[in-house]
Amino acid sequence: MNIRAGDDVLVIAGKEKGKTGRVARSLTEQNRVVVDGVNIITRHIKPRPGLRQAGRIQIEAPIHISNVMLICNKCSQPIRAKSVSLETGQRVRGCPKCKEVLDDAR
């Protein structure tokens, strides 16, 4: 997956189309990501004595990876990340529009 936790993304399809947010976590097995402030659902919770109170809680539900697009940090454009080779031989994600390296050199 080219999108990782901490990346800024734009939702390009579905009921939340046009919203942006930061990826909280990625679920690689299901090809889904959880984006902060996007795809909010309401769950009704039963009480559990000593642990939690009953009520309705709102949480972010995961959305499919194909419905989001990565946003470049430098040019603020939605992009499809490309693989770039550094001088050290390491391969990292890069922006094809502004040629900025998206990953930090580890």
Side-chain angles (χ1 to χ4, degrees):
M1 286 181 20
N2 285 333
I3 297 177
R4 300 178 185 151
D7 289 341
D8 291 325
V9 294
L10 169 72
V11 179
I12 59 171
K15 66 179 182 177
E16 305 285 338
K17 182 178 180 178
K19 291 187 180 180
T20 60
R22 186 171 297 265
V23 176
R25 67 179 197 265
S26 62
L27 308 169
T28 54
E29 299 84 26
Q30 294 120 6
N31 287 329
R32 293 179 176 270
V33 291
V34 177
V35 182
D36 292 333
V38 176
N39 200 21
I40 304 291
I41 60 171
T42 303
R43 289 283 182 227
H44 295 70
I45 303 296
K46 287 186 174 182
R48 291 185 62 192
L51 292 178
R52 67 173 177 238
Q53 187 178 3
R56 297 174 6 172
I57 62 167
Q58 292 184 335
I59 58 172
E60 291 102 2
I63 57 177
H64 199 267
I65 196 78
S66 66
N67 293 335
V68 296
M69 221 170 168
L70 185 62
I71 296 177
C72 178
N73 299 334
K74 184 178 178 187
C75 63
S76 300
Q77 297 286 325
I79 60 165
R80 199 173 280 166
K82 302 295 179 190
S83 182
V84 178
S85 293
L86 298 178
E87 295 82 23
T88 61
Q90 186 178 10
R91 298 183 67 79
V92 294
R93 297 180 300 164
C95 175
K97 296 181 181 178
C98 67
K99 308 299 187 229
E100 179 75 13
V101 173
L102 300 174
D103 295 333
D104 54 346
R106 298 175 203 210

